[in-house]
Amino acid sequence: MRLRCEVEVLSRLLPTCGLPGRGRAARALLSLGRPPGCGGAGVYLMVCTARDRAGARYKVQQNVERLFTRFVEDGKATVRLREPAVDLCLSKANVSNLKTFLSAVRLAHQGTDAGVLPLSPLVPAKNSEVEKPKTKMIITSRRDYPLTKSFPYSLEHLQTSYCKLARIDVRVLCLKKLRKLDLSHNHIKQLPATLGDLVCLQELNLHDNHLESFSGALCSSTLQKSLQFLDLSQNQIQALPIEFCQLRGLVRVKLDDNALLRLPCRIGQLSRLRFLSAPRNQLPFLPSDFRKLRLENLDLFGNPFEQPNPLVPNIQLKIPLTLLECAARATVNHRIPYGCHLLPSHLCEDLEVAKTCQCGSACLSSFIQITVTMNLHHVAHTVVLVDNMGGTEAPILCYFCSLDCYSQFLDRHLQSNG
């Protein structure tokens, strides 16, 4: 006989890695029968899915350890096999068909003559017989949001917009095949660190929520390699964490209509970034590392950029240099390895954001800072005008490790404007 239902295969064996294996829930066709032309080969269970129509076969006779039928009236049951040690978890089955199926399995296990059992030929399933696993789900209203039903484990694209969600549903965090997650137009205020457990996630859309920050823990998760598109537009974020630049796979970032006071100081480490959009924020200038970007499209319209003035420096020099400053400069300049196992963590954090002088040397807390004008076409092929006057220039921070380096820059600047 054949039974259409949703099957999840759970392994009760312990693989060499020491973790229990777990199959994926899928809409499947269960057959109970004999392989064609095999005479007395016994009765087998075969599970056919859209991706594996040939099916996995399991011997039944004297091989059923237990049948779990407590929720059979809900179309649910579990067949526990001895060898291999797997549980076939059935759900969403027709109740009448399920009861007949379980009765046949019990009789087959006891060795009942196959001639009296309602058996089917064990042949690969046809496309029309097996429903493909659901990979995409779009929900655009609160009334359509599933409160009692689970999300299909096979989902690769999930959109839940306009659902008034105040937090991310923990059931979503179990969808390990998810590649695209759209949670736009909700009321989400905080992101759980476990969002970083979605190892396949490539696109994350959080447009129009109530976020005030983006967690540094997420930037240190598996999202470092997988995440390519991030939309944080129309939130209330004032600053992105230092760890944001560890998301090295980012290609497109949208930060429109937030309250950003600065961009990450190491933004130049995002070597794959091609599209950056951050209009209508509160940026007074751009970080020095911005020069390293190689973008296709850049939009910084509507930010209150300061008027750069190289002749009015912010002098933070400490003469003579402290021992800490000397050690920090030597560590960075000579590329000496360091880490929290060698140095206090706060020193490591300072070294990670060390500034770079025009001469190429590093400086930590002793420096001269100015803002200079940079044409944004130096870092982007297409630039959206910065203001209504048609400008494509913006102020960028510039650092000097000593009075000597600043004096040399000043001489060049005065000559070029002379």
Side-chain angles (χ1 to χ4, degrees), residues 190-341:
Q190 193 171 8
L191 301 176
T194 46
L195 184 62
D197 295 338
L198 299 178
V199 295
C200 295
L201 193 63
Q202 297 177 354
E203 300 184 25
L204 177 59
N205 188 345
L206 294 161
H207 170 80
D208 188 20
N209 275 280
H210 298 168
L211 294 172
E212 296 182 356
S213 63
F214 189 80
S215 169
L218 288 179
C219 303
S220 304
S221 68
T222 57
L223 297 182
Q224 286 184 359
K225 295 181 179 179
S226 65
L227 196 62
Q228 299 177 17
F229 171 79
L230 177 62
D231 189 344
L232 296 173
S233 56
Q234 289 193 29
N235 280 281
Q236 302 160 21
I237 301 173
Q238 294 188 4
L240 294 170
I242 295 174
E243 297 87 353
F244 186 83
C245 299
Q246 295 177 12
L247 299 172
R248 303 292 178 83
L250 283 176
V251 176
R252 185 186 296 264
V253 175
K254 290 179 64 65
L255 303 167
D256 315 25
D257 301 289
N258 275 280
L260 287 171
L261 298 171
R262 64 179 184 274
L263 292 177
C265 61
R266 290 298 186 191
I267 194 170
Q269 294 179 350
L270 300 178
S271 58
R272 295 184 181 179
L273 192 63
R274 295 295 177 265
F275 301 87
L276 176 60
S277 178
R280 297 174 297 278
N281 279 279
Q282 299 299 316
L283 300 175
F285 43 72
L286 301 175
S288 176
D289 218 43
F290 201 87
R291 290 189 181 93
K292 297 179 182 179
L293 293 176
R294 294 295 177 264
L295 305 173
E296 294 181 19
N297 190 287
L298 174 62
D299 185 359
L300 296 174
F301 177 81
N303 281 283
F305 287 125
E306 295 178 353
Q307 188 65 30
N309 191 345
L311 302 180
V312 184
N314 175 15
I315 301 177
Q316 300 288 334
L317 286 177
K318 298 174 183 177
I319 302 174
L321 294 178
T322 65
L323 181 59
L324 175 61
E325 181 75 21
C326 291
R329 292 187 179 193
T331 300
V332 177
N333 292 339
H334 298 289
R335 299 181 180 180
I336 299 172
Y338 62 88
C340 294
H341 61 292

Side-chain angles (χ1 to χ4, degrees), residues 118-180:
L119 302 181
S120 301
L122 291 187
V123 294
K126 299 177 182 178
N127 284 331
S128 59
E129 292 181 309
V130 183
E131 185 178 318
K132 291 184 178 179
K134 191 167 187 177
T135 59
K136 185 176 181 179
M137 179 180 286
I138 297 178
I139 305 167
T140 55
S141 69
R142 187 172 181 83
R143 66 182 179 185
D144 296 330
Y145 194 84
L147 297 177
T148 57
K149 296 182 180 179
S150 298
F151 292 101
Y153 286 102
S154 53
L155 282 183
E156 297 179 11
H157 176 186
L158 174 62
Q159 177 181 345
T160 56
S161 302
Y162 302 99
C163 296
K164 299 181 181 180
L165 299 178
R167 62 183 64 85
I168 297 181
D169 194 328
V170 293
R171 294 175 298 170
V172 172
L173 304 176
C174 298
L175 304 177
K176 301 304 181 182
K177 299 181 72 173
L178 210 58
R179 296 180 180 274
K180 184 175 181 179

Side-chain angles (χ1 to χ4, degrees), residues 6-11 21-28 47 49 51 89 133 152-155 174-178 199-200:
E6 191 166 284
V7 178
E8 184 177 12
V9 180
L10 307 179
S11 172
R22 185 180 179 90
R24 304 287 186 185
R27 197 71 175 173
V47 183
T49 65
R51 293 188 177 180
C89 302
Y153 286 102
S154 53
L155 282 183
C174 298
L175 304 177
K176 301 304 181 182
K177 299 181 72 173
L178 210 58
V199 295
C200 295

